[in-house]
Amino acid sequence: MRHFTWMAGLLLTSVALAAESARPGDPLIGYFDGDSQTERQWEEKFRAVPGPANLRAYMQRLSARPHHVGSPYDKDNAEWILSKFKEWGLDAHIEEFEVLFPTPKVRAVELVAPTHFTAKLEEPTVQGDPTSNQHDEQLPTYNAYSVDGEVTAPLVYVNYGIPDDYEQLERLGISVKGAIVMARYGASWRGIKPKVAAEHGAVGCLIFSDPRDDGYSQGETFPEGAWRPPDGVQRGSLMDMPLYTGDPLTPGLGATKEAKRLDLKDVKVFAKIPTLPISYADARPLLAALGGPIAPESWRGGVGITYRLGPGPAKVHLKAIFNWDIKPIYDVIARIPGSDFPDEWIIRGNHHDAWVNGAEDPVSGQVALLEEARGLAELLRQGWKPRRTIIYCAWDGEEEGLLGSTEWAEEHADELGSKAVVYINSDSNGRGYLELAGSHTLEKFVNEVARDIRDPEKKISVWRRLQLKRIADAREAAPSDLSTVIATHPSAAQDKLEELRTRPDLRIDALGSGSDYTPFIQHLGIASLSLGYSGEDGGGIYHSIYDDFYWYTHFSDTDFVYGRALSQTIGTAVVRLADSDVLPYDFTALAEAVRKYVDELRQLLKDKQDQIRERNRETEEGVFTATADPKKTSVPPPIEPVPPYLNFSPLDNALVKIASSAQRYQRALEHATAAGHPAIALDSLRALNRELIESERKLTRPEGLPGRPWYRHEIYAPGLYTGYGVKTLPAVREAIELKHWEEADKEIGVVAQVIEDEASLINSASSDLERAAQ
């Protein structure tokens, strides 16, 4: 068996080498014969420009002081970024918006029974860290967009505070009605925790960083190591971003001075109960005071006490009162005009604001963007003229709810709707592997780019390094005896391993929310990518005062070579998109991804049916979970109707159409850009590209998703109860998850029509390309 495994590994390696080495001289997607070589020469010149020393200097300057929204250094940084764009000869300006930004006026967390304890609610200076002592400029530890409130109530520990945790509490007979819940960070976006708590009747919420997830259980804590120290606190927004992003007072409109604003009482995206974040040092006495049943094993963290659920005897006093101020934000916008297609825009963005000093989040991504802009300026001086317009954006107000990017996108929505080709996003950056996520129409393109970028440490392409990591992960998950796998039905892990051996491109992740791509793809239907490096630098300083230059240069990308790699990666993508003859969309990966999502819906429905049948069987047989309180009489759950049959035929028919149209377009594109084929006339290209720009728009609907019209994309959306995490085919998927069967049946037809409309557009573009290439 060892020989068989070795041979399989040898085959795997040879396939990986072939997949990479067969590419470098090949024509680029979207380029006519002969144009690829010239393009590669410009890209090589660009990749020689970004330098680690520049990245380091930019970071030291931008992260020198706290620069949250409304702070003096936030504006100062925006003006400095503007000055750099202008120094490099770029046309640049600042666009200002006015947004709601609450800051804390009163914060208090006290244990009032059975003993007394007052939480510190602050992060101390760390010796040797030169910026951790800037307390007069630092935002206090708090959660933005919590409502004002003061409550005293029994405490209940709810694990991560996600819907599944409340189902388990209910099975144990524990209610949070009238209680303050205590949830640990993780498993979902933070805003989901008070949202679900309020839905179950809680009156307050505390969120703490458990050391099992984000502290000494993971490694040495700061300043000896990278992980969160006992008094470290994660700040963050609680805005219900699955409803909409941006300024809470101006949904759908740019937050200009003249914009019509909602009254505070009419805003639907605030957390419904007062909420504060606390450290695990402050959390320990609260958890230790809880009585009640011992928490399930998977709920037990690393604080060093016996985790109990409550309610009581612990009783907590929570007070959170805020200043509800309007503050300015500053988006810095630089533009390089296109020569042939000036009304086709390639947009690149990263935010510059932070909760405190923000060296990792977001300055590590922002400095990469600056080096890209400098590199493009250098190409311009050497005679390069991009065919399309390139727009570089340094966003403000991302941390509070994607304020700067959303307001800019909403203010320019009409122009973006007709001109935006692609939006490329980054946020934080570190050491490790390239993260690939975005529209599946760009999957082939971004794989092609990744093959041309050299990993600074491993000296292979970043594409190959990521492929080998995914192979290693799949092999770990697969059975070690491969002959047994072959003799039986292959496991999911083995299927994945086989795909990694044979599929020419690596799959990219779908986008949910959590960064500045959201308004572009989810609201406006602009094809988007989100890229960055990570995986080899542990981190526990997220949204704390310790996310600073000292931490980053000791524990992350210490020599800034992965910052340079990010500049090279995204800069190459920008240049290649800007210069292509035909926009480099590919629809085969989209068709394949949608088919996968439909298969997942079928499995989701089957799982729901099986689960309900099993619960009903247990109820009928008298087998059900007793309550946690032995004094209470256990009441069996009611018999639940089994989910009905759902007709997936409309989606199946749509899948056939989009797969056929995608194959046709691929053949047409390959023929048009084949060796020896004459270039297509410029006017024909303009008409074709205008049609292709609409391909992502076709995946949206003006009326948006059920219950949240701001989100218009029918293929990707953040989940109502995941926040950042993506839900694919969201209208159908969430209807099934919520057991809204009539809605699920209706939305199947709606999504099927969207997919058919996309197939029709692809066929139309194929016809145009075929005629133009005759």
Side-chain angles (χ1 to χ4, degrees):
M1 298 306 172
R2 184 176 301 171
H3 175 71
F4 183 90
T5 304
W6 177 83
M7 288 295 292
L10 183 62
L11 174 64
L12 184 87
T13 303
S14 63
V15 171
L17 285 168
E20 182 182 20
S21 61
R23 301 289 175 155
D26 289 353
L28 299 171
I29 180 175
Y31 281 77
F32 295 132
D33 179 40
D35 292 347
S36 295
Q37 183 176 357
T38 301
E39 173 63 19
R40 288 188 186 278
Q41 290 170 353
W42 282 117
E43 290 175 8
E44 287 173 4
K45 290 179 180 180
F46 165 79
R47 289 195 289 272
V49 175
N54 290 328
L55 294 160
R56 181 186 178 92
Y58 301 156
M59 177 179 283
Q60 190 164 21
R61 198 282 175 200
L62 289 169
S63 65
R65 309 209 73 80
H67 52 283
H68 55 272
V69 165
S71 67
Y73 208 67
D74 180 59
K75 183 179 182 182
D76 195 68
N77 271 350
E79 291 172 343
W80 182 83
I81 292 168
L82 176 67
S83 73
K84 300 305 288 185
F85 283 151
K86 289 185 173 182
E87 175 188 326
W88 299 327
L90 303 181
D91 178 17
H93 65 281
I94 288 177
E95 292 193 35
E96 184 175 334
F97 298 96
E98 297 189 349
V99 299
L100 179 70
F101 178 50
T103 53
K105 185 186 299 182
V106 180
R107 299 168 303 134
V109 175
E110 295 177 274
L111 179 69
V112 296
T115 58
H116 188 270
F117 167 76
T118 301
K120 294 189 294 291
L121 303 182
E122 62 182 30
E123 297 176 300
T125 298
V126 165
Q127 182 104 21
D129 181 355
T131 62
S132 64
N133 66 354
Q134 298 168 340
H135 299 297
D136 289 345
E137 300 174 60
Q138 296 164 355
L139 278 175
T141 59
Y142 81 112
N143 289 131
Y145 304 115
S146 161
V147 293
D148 291 341
E150 182 175 12
V151 291
T152 301
L155 190 66
V156 178
Y157 172 56
V158 296
N159 194 28
Y160 292 112
I162 59 178
D164 286 350
D165 294 329
Y166 286 91
E167 288 185 12
Q168 188 154 359
L169 287 172
E170 186 177 351
R171 289 195 294 272
L172 293 170
I174 295 174
S175 170
V176 301
K177 189 173 182 179
I180 294 172
V181 302
M182 193 161 177
R184 53 177 170 157
Y185 272 114
S188 76
W189 171 62
R190 76 184 71 80
I192 299 302
K193 301 172 191 294
K195 176 180 179 175
V196 181
E199 290 174 352
H200 286 79
V203 296
C205 180
L206 298 173
I207 313 176
F208 74 102
S209 299
D210 194 295
R212 178 180 175 183
D213 306 310
D214 188 13
Y216 51 73
S217 293
Q218 300 294 324
E220 293 290 337
T221 61
F222 188 71
E224 285 75 26
W227 292 93
R228 193 176 300 273
D231 289 311
V233 182
Q234 182 190 141
R235 296 157 182 79
S237 174
L238 300 177
M239 184 191 298
D240 197 355
M241 289 195 293
L243 295 182
Y244 62 85
T245 67
D247 175 38
L249 303 183
T250 59
L253 301 172
T256 60
K257 290 182 180 180
E258 301 78 19
K260 184 178 179 180
R261 287 171 165 79
L262 297 175
D263 291 333
L264 288 178
K265 63 180 176 56
D266 296 324
V267 175
K268 297 180 180 179
V269 294
F270 298 153
K272 302 298 188 292
I273 54 178
T275 303
L276 285 173
I278 61 175
S279 66
Y280 57 86
D282 279 342
R284 191 181 191 280
L286 306 183
L287 291 169
L290 279 171
I294 294 175
E297 184 175 356
S298 63
W299 290 35
R300 301 169 200 167
V303 169
I305 50 94
T306 299
Y307 280 67
R308 294 182 178 273
L309 300 175
K315 184 177 284 189
V316 168
H317 172 237
L318 165 63
K319 186 175 184 178
I321 307 295
F322 301 92
N323 300 298
W324 295 89
D325 297 326
I326 301 292
K327 296 288 186 181
I329 58 172
Y330 308 97
D331 290 340
V332 191
I333 311 296
R335 182 185 299 257
I336 302 172
S339 57
D340 293 334
F341 311 115
D343 288 337
E344 297 177 16
W345 294 356
I346 312 301
I347 307 168
R348 161 75 168 110
N350 196 104
H351 70 102
H352 67 78
D353 69 294
W355 279 109
V356 196
N357 296 75
E360 180 188 47
D361 182 14
V363 173
S364 60
Q366 181 62 50
V367 299
L369 180 148
L370 288 171
E371 271 297 84
E372 291 165 40
R374 188 177 74 84
L376 298 188
E378 179 60 32
L379 290 194
L380 292 171
R381 282 191 287 272
Q382 295 179 33
W384 172 68
K385 294 181 180 179
R387 304 184 75 186
R388 291 180 179 82
T389 295
I390 299 170
I391 301 176
Y392 266 67
C393 309
W395 308 118
D396 201 354
E398 187 271 355
E399 296 294 1
E400 291 72 34
L402 323 182
L403 306 185
S405 57
T406 300
E407 299 317 310
W408 189 83
E410 291 177 338
E411 179 67 12
H412 300 279
D414 291 343
E415 200 170 17
L416 289 168
S418 62
K419 297 178 181 179
V421 173
V422 170
Y423 173 74
I424 304 180
N425 190 69
S426 63
D427 203 315
S428 301
N429 193 62
R431 293 180 62 251
Y433 306 92
L434 178 60
E435 295 179 332
L436 300 171
S439 302
H440 284 85
T441 52
L442 297 170
E443 182 173 280
K444 184 177 181 66
F445 169 79
V446 75
N447 270 265
E448 190 178 72
V449 170
R451 287 184 172 93
D452 288 341
I453 309 301
R454 188 173 177 83
D455 185 278
E457 292 184 352
K458 303 302 180 183
K459 310 306 179 186
I460 57 178
S461 77
V462 298
W463 182 91
R464 173 128 189 261
R465 190 179 183 206
L466 178 60
Q467 184 202 36
L468 292 176
K469 179 183 188 300
R470 290 186 180 183
I471 287 170
D473 291 346
R475 288 176 69 84
E476 275 186 27
S480 58
D481 188 348
L482 297 181
S483 63
T484 302
V485 171
I486 289 175
T488 61
H489 183 71
S491 67
Q494 186 64 23
D495 289 344
K496 186 174 183 179
L497 181 58
E498 183 64 23
E499 176 184 284
L500 286 164
R501 291 174 173 174
T502 59
R503 194 172 190 265
D505 291 323
L506 298 172
R507 293 188 185 275
I508 66 174
D509 295 329
L511 290 172
S513 187
S515 197
D516 289 307
Y517 53 77
T518 302
F520 294 95
I521 184 170
Q522 309 290 5
H523 184 58
L524 298 179
I526 296 167
S528 298
L529 289 169
S530 186
L531 305 175
Y533 288 86
S534 69
E536 291 194 329
D537 49 351
I541 43 71
Y542 181 63
H543 289 186
S544 77
I545 69 172
Y546 311 118
D547 179 3
D548 57 17
F549 186 75
Y550 179 90
W551 180 91
Y552 195 86
T553 53
H554 283 75
F555 301 111
S556 188
D557 182 21
T558 56
D559 51 5
F560 290 86
V561 292
Y562 281 94
R564 178 179 58 193
L566 182 61
S567 289
Q568 292 172 332
T569 304
I570 300 184
T572 297
V574 168
V575 172
R576 193 170 295 184
L577 283 161
D579 289 345
S580 67
D581 299 299
V582 180
L583 291 174
Y585 301 135
D586 174 76
F587 301 104
T588 54
L590 173 65
E592 188 177 337
V594 174
R595 176 172 292 280
K596 176 174 173 284
Y597 301 151
V598 172
D599 289 343
E600 290 172 357
L601 292 181
R602 279 195 175 87
Q603 187 62 48
L604 176 64
L605 177 63
K606 182 180 182 300
D607 290 344
K608 286 282 184 187
Q609 292 169 333
D610 290 347
Q611 289 167 5
I612 291 173
R613 287 192 184 102
E614 179 62 19
R615 282 202 296 266
N616 289 345
R617 182 193 65 79
E618 291 177 351
T619 298
E620 290 170 347
E621 295 178 1
V623 181
F624 54 90
T625 305
T627 67
D629 186 347
K631 297 179 181 178
K632 293 183 179 179
T633 303
S634 298
V635 179
I639 298 295
E640 184 177 354
V642 176
Y645 165 81
L646 293 178
N647 181 14
F648 287 98
S649 298
L651 279 173
D652 292 335
N653 294 334
L655 289 174
V656 172
K657 292 179 180 179
I658 195 171
S660 174
S661 65
Q663 291 169 4
R664 179 186 174 189
Y665 181 80
Q666 185 177 26
R667 290 192 300 268
L669 182 63
E670 288 172 353
H671 173 69
T673 56
H677 199 286
I680 296 173
L682 205 59
D683 287 346
S684 296
L685 278 180
R686 286 194 184 99
L688 173 63
N689 287 332
R690 277 198 300 271
E691 192 164 31
L692 290 172
I693 285 174
E694 291 298 311
S695 63
E696 197 81 21
R697 318 287 195 271
K698 281 291 182 183
L699 300 174
T700 69
R701 290 200 310 151
E703 54 268 51
L705 298 178
R708 42 181 180 152
W710 190 89
Y711 283 92
R712 298 172 178 169
H713 210 292
E714 292 286 343
I715 310 301
Y716 324 111
L720 279 168
Y721 290 96
T722 58
Y724 290 169
V726 66
K727 294 288 185 180
T728 53
L729 306 184
V732 182
R733 185 180 298 271
E734 292 196 314
I736 293 174
E737 290 173 344
L738 297 171
K739 304 175 186 176
H740 297 166
W741 308 119
E742 289 185 8
E743 182 177 293
D745 194 55
K746 173 190 171 186
E747 294 301 323
I748 284 173
V750 170
V751 176
Q753 187 60 58
V754 167
I755 296 169
E756 288 195 13
D757 290 346
E758 176 78 351
S760 296
L761 182 142
I762 297 168
N763 275 326
S764 178
S766 300
S767 296
D768 291 346
L769 189 54
E770 289 160 356
R771 283 193 298 270
Q774 286 177 351

